[in-house]
Amino acid sequence: VAHSPIQPGIECFQEGGIHNLASSSFLHSFGIECRTDSMLHCQPALTQIPVLQIVKESQQQHGLRHGDFQRYRGYCSRRLRRLRKTLNFKMGNRHKFTGKKVTEEILSDNRYLLLILMDAERAWSYAMQLKQEANTEPRKRFHLLSRLRKAVKHAEELERLCESNRVDAKTKLEAQAYMAYLTGMLRFEHQEWKAAMEAFNKCKTIYEKLANAFTEEQAVLYNQRVEEISPNIRYCAYNIGDQSAMNELMQMRLRSGGTEGLLAEKLEALITQTRAKQAATMSEVEWRGRTVPVKIDKVRIFLLGLADNEAAIVQAENEETRERLFESLLSECRDAIQAVREDLKPDQKQREHSLEGDSGKVSNIQYLHSYLTYIKLSTAIKRNESMAKSLQKALLQQQRSEEDGKRTPRPQDLIRLYDIILQNLVELTQLPGLEEDKNFQKEIGLKTLVYKAYRCFFIAQSYVLVKKWSEALVLYERVLKYAGEVQSGAGAFTNSLKELPDVQDLITQVNAEKYSLQAAAILERFETFCLDPSLVSKQVSLVHFPPGFQPIPCKPLFFDLALNHVAFPPLEDKVEQKAKSGLTGYIKGIFGFKS
């Protein structure tokens, strides 16, 4: 039997040992006896089961990862059947039931403790299944409470058996924590807040101590359970009267992207109730220079929580949390839009009359519908953009992912996201009441150019992967064209474009990609040998001679344009002297006589 000292002269027996426990007083506080060295040689092997580890692994592998409690309940039933058959611990036969109880005498085999644990898990999973169904069938809540009481009863039996000297210290602590957890859940459903908080605090204390007692790897499960319990404790404190607990619950919700399990519905209902009180003072909303009244409570509650939800998305710690918050916001927005649509139906005739008589100005309820649709589409665009950024980061780590054997993200995945974004932008331009808003239309047009540029860039990247250099180069030029149009037309819309991807970074990246593309095309040709048939024929012609005629620029022609503006000196006197000489002068000239 492996063991490790807790204090000098004090030892606890278990398989694997307990390490770094602060003192034996911690164990004594839970009714656990520590064995001294003098008892070492006379103690038999102690029974132990890792309660929390078994529970968590079973839940994750058999349905609870997807919230399927019915599947998990079926697994617990099948496992119980196998255990009873293996241990020959059957409850009678098909004709008669004969009850059997697990006693301390048979605890040498830890599978008997596992029997009771699976009984408790089966009852708990059935209760959680009924909790899901009770949303539409309220009477199932009575059956839910009955199953939770059954689970607590099995947990009490497990804790009682683990008090035996045949069970090790770690199992005793885990059994007490498990019992406290189920008790807290039962009291929570009964809305007995003080008793529930005491039970949850006891469970949290035990798991915290166990987390400190073991190695970091073993402590992960305990810390996870502590994180699950903390919101329940704060919710109980709020209902007891601690108003500061509400702020802490909101912070927990922001960090985790929404609570899960028993607390989820209650916390959401509490938040909705708080916002409903604030909504009583909200009567109108202003958007793009027009004020419209808000008379629908569901819409008021949504608009009041919009800023908090957007802040939570910005502060989200990881992509998974951010995605859950986006989905939650979109779901609330769809519900608010549906509530407005229901009011639009009886107001249809009045709205059509307003459109005809007010020169195209839509009614207030229709304008409110357009505002909510704008929020929904804008949120969808931000969500898809966030997903695109995550995929871009994954593309940068593409080589490492390939080595790990995981599926590598492709540019086609990004192209699909940008297609959806562009479709959402088209829907924005068609919202009733905004067709004549030139600034809005121009702003959406600039955003469309930005996302077109990014979509075109990743289409080019997909062509690069299949070595279609010319197509990719043309698409890169198109990206630069879109980016240039955005930069030239931004002007007064600079603030609204700040949230969008930076086109200047895209231009820099495209220029770099173009050079890489040209280099890759040249390098690819180096590996290809092309043989000219004329070089292996009998009449090899390496050079064409004489070379062919080529057009060259001719010698320029000069025109004396100043001649028409020049005044020449008079020449009359010279003309007269030449006329007097006549024939005599000519003859003298011939014979060489001079005058």
Side-chain angles (χ1 to χ4, degrees):
V1 179
H3 62 278
S4 62
I6 299 174
Q7 277 188 353
I10 300 177
E11 308 217 349
C12 256
F13 295 95
Q14 69 160 23
E15 185 178 347
I18 294 183
H19 303 282
N20 301 325
L21 279 179
S23 65
S24 61
S25 59
F26 166 64
L27 299 177
H28 284 297
S29 64
F30 293 100
I32 301 169
E33 296 183 2
C34 294
R35 307 295 176 184
T36 60
D37 291 337
S38 60
M39 305 173 66
L40 175 61
H41 301 289
C42 61
Q43 288 298 322
L46 299 180
T47 302
Q48 69 92 25
I49 57 169
V51 176
L52 187 59
Q53 181 180 350
I54 291 173
V55 168
K56 283 293 184 182
E57 288 180 356
S58 300
Q59 291 177 355
Q60 291 299 311
Q61 294 174 9
H62 299 280
L64 261 63
R65 183 173 297 180
H66 308 290
D68 191 346
F69 292 99
Q70 185 175 5
R71 177 185 166 192
Y72 181 57
R73 180 166 71 100
Y75 161 76
C76 293
S77 298
R78 292 190 300 273
R79 189 169 185 181
L80 277 169
R81 193 180 303 114
R82 290 194 301 269
L83 284 170
R84 291 194 178 108
K85 184 176 181 181
T86 304
L87 296 171
N88 197 21
F89 198 76
K90 299 179 181 179
M91 300 292 189
N93 51 41
R94 66 180 61 185
H95 303 292
K96 183 180 179 181
F97 173 79
T98 305
K100 290 185 178 180
K101 290 188 177 181
V102 179
T103 60
E104 295 184 13
E105 288 73 18
I106 59 175
L107 287 183
S108 56
D109 192 336
N110 61 3
R111 288 177 294 180
Y112 288 103
L113 293 178
L114 194 57
L115 269 175
I116 303 173
L117 179 61
M118 285 297 105
D119 271 328
E121 282 295 290
R122 180 173 63 174
W124 172 82
S125 59
Y126 194 11
M128 294 300 102
Q129 177 189 341
L130 292 168
K131 184 175 179 64
Q132 291 178 335
E133 298 172 357
N135 294 328
T136 55
E137 302 176 61
R139 286 202 57 81
K140 288 193 174 182
R141 178 171 172 78
F142 298 103
H143 197 184
L144 151 69
L145 296 174
S146 173
R147 289 296 90 193
L148 269 181
R149 282 192 291 269
K150 189 73 171 179
V152 171
K153 181 180 178 181
H154 288 303
E156 288 175 349
E157 185 180 0
L158 179 64
E159 181 186 11
R160 179 184 60 80
L161 290 171
C162 287
E163 291 175 357
S164 168
N165 295 333
R166 297 173 179 267
V167 180
D168 74 333
K170 175 173 173 287
T171 304
K172 291 180 180 180
L173 291 174
E174 289 208 41
Q176 291 184 21
Y178 184 71
M179 165 62 187
Y181 178 71
L182 291 182
T183 302
M185 295 183 72
L186 177 61
R187 300 305 175 196
F188 196 95
E189 280 297 324
H190 279 292
Q191 298 186 3
E192 298 174 4
W193 308 119
K194 188 173 182 180
M197 188 170 70
E198 290 175 356
F200 283 134
N201 276 325
K202 179 181 178 181
C203 177
K204 180 181 177 182
T205 302
I206 296 174
Y207 283 131
E208 285 176 343
K209 293 293 185 180
L210 286 171
N212 294 330
F214 290 91
T215 60
E216 186 175 350
E217 293 181 358
Q218 294 172 311
V220 171
L221 281 176
Y222 300 125
N223 290 327
Q224 287 178 351
R225 178 67 87 178
V226 170
E227 291 177 3
E228 292 174 11
I229 295 171
S230 296
N232 295 349
I233 295 174
R234 300 312 303 160
Y235 187 84
C236 293
Y238 172 79
N239 283 280
I240 291 173
D242 185 358
Q243 296 297 325
S244 64
M246 182 60 185
N247 295 329
E248 294 185 21
L249 284 169
M250 292 295 296
Q251 290 300 319
M252 290 178 183
R253 180 176 180 268
L254 296 184
R255 288 195 298 269
S256 63
T259 54
E260 298 177 357
L262 190 67
L263 183 63
E265 295 178 4
K266 294 184 180 295
L267 180 55
E268 292 300 326
L270 177 62
I271 294 171
T272 303
Q273 181 182 358
T274 304
R275 289 175 181 168
K277 294 178 180 178
Q278 299 172 352
T281 60
M282 181 181 182
S283 59
E284 59 187 20
V285 64
E286 183 179 355
W287 181 53
R288 302 198 70 83
R290 178 174 173 178
T291 302
V292 294
V294 182
K295 301 178 181 179
I296 305 171
D297 290 338
K298 185 173 288 187
V299 178
R300 289 179 180 176
I301 293 170
F302 168 71
L303 293 176
L304 281 171
L306 180 61
D308 292 337
N309 288 328
E310 291 177 344
I313 291 171
V314 174
Q315 299 171 9
E317 297 178 351
N318 52 61
E319 294 299 328
E320 184 180 354
T321 300
R322 186 177 292 108
E323 180 64 23
R324 287 203 303 267
L325 290 171
F326 269 124
E327 288 298 331
S328 175
L329 178 57
L330 286 171
S331 176
E332 292 178 12
C333 188
R334 283 191 287 267
D335 292 342
I337 290 174
Q338 183 59 36
V340 174
R341 283 176 182 166
E342 292 175 359
D343 273 22
L344 270 174
K345 292 177 182 178
D347 194 46
Q348 187 71 24
K349 294 182 179 179
Q350 181 179 356
R351 182 172 63 87
E352 291 175 356
H353 176 72
S354 176
L355 283 169
E356 295 174 359
D358 202 9
S359 302
K361 185 178 180 181
V362 299
S363 63
N364 286 333
I365 190 70
Q366 179 63 50
Y367 196 76
L368 179 61
H369 183 271
S370 297
Y371 176 46
L372 294 174
T373 306
Y374 170 81
I375 293 173
K376 185 190 76 170
L377 294 173
S378 300
T379 303
I381 290 172
K382 292 177 182 178
R383 181 194 63 180
N384 289 325
E385 185 182 339
S386 175
M387 294 171 64
K389 288 180 180 178
S390 301
L391 282 174
Q392 289 179 38
K393 292 178 182 177
L395 280 174
L396 294 176
Q397 302 173 351
Q398 183 172 359
Q399 185 176 0
R400 186 179 67 183
S401 298
E402 288 177 353
E403 293 174 357
D404 294 342
K406 299 179 181 178
R407 180 188 178 276
T408 304
R410 301 171 300 169
Q412 288 86 339
D413 301 331
L414 284 159
I415 295 170
R416 175 58 182 161
L417 288 175
Y418 283 114
D419 281 336
I420 297 173
I421 290 175
L422 290 172
Q423 180 60 38
N424 291 334
L425 289 171
V426 171
E427 293 179 21
L428 282 174
T429 60
Q430 300 171 351
L431 289 177
L434 298 175
E435 299 92 339
E436 304 299 326
D437 191 335
K438 295 181 179 179
N439 288 333
F440 178 79
Q441 297 293 336
K442 188 174 181 180
E443 179 183 338
I444 298 301
L446 287 173
K447 291 181 178 180
T448 301
L449 288 174
V450 172
Y451 290 115
K452 276 186 175 181
Y454 272 88
R455 176 180 176 273
C456 203
F457 173 76
F458 288 108
I459 294 175
Q461 292 283 75
S462 65
Y463 277 111
V464 170
L465 291 178
V466 294
K467 298 183 179 180
K468 293 186 177 181
W469 315 118
S470 58
E471 291 88 344
L473 194 59
V474 171
L475 287 167
Y476 282 143
E477 293 297 336
R478 181 65 62 87
V479 173
L480 294 177
K481 176 189 173 185
Y482 286 143
E485 291 179 5
V486 171
Q487 289 182 332
S488 62
F493 300 97
T494 305
N495 292 331
S496 60
L497 298 178
K498 282 183 178 179
E499 298 178 357
L500 301 182
D502 191 359
V503 292
Q504 184 58 46
D505 293 341
L506 183 61
I507 292 173
T508 304
Q509 189 175 0
V510 166
N511 288 328
E513 291 289 340
K514 283 174 61 179
Y515 299 137
S516 300
L517 192 71
Q518 293 168 355
I522 294 172
L523 289 173
E524 186 182 34
R525 290 201 299 270
F526 283 164
E527 299 177 359
T528 305
F529 176 72
C530 295
L531 181 63
D532 189 352
S534 64
L535 297 179
V536 294
S537 61
K538 294 182 179 180
Q539 297 179 352
V540 178
S541 177
L542 297 177
V543 179
H544 295 284
F545 186 83
F549 288 100
Q550 293 182 357
I552 61 172
C554 64
K555 184 178 180 179
L557 298 176
F558 294 97
F559 297 93
D560 192 354
L561 301 179
L563 180 62
N564 298 329
H565 302 280
V566 174
F568 291 97
L571 301 174
E572 290 83 359
D573 54 342
K574 295 183 179 181
V575 172
E576 291 178 357
Q577 291 177 1
K578 188 175 181 180
K580 289 180 179 179
S581 61
L583 181 62
T584 305
Y586 177 72
I587 295 173
K588 289 181 179 180
I590 292 174
F591 293 100
F593 297 106
K594 297 182 180 179
S595 58

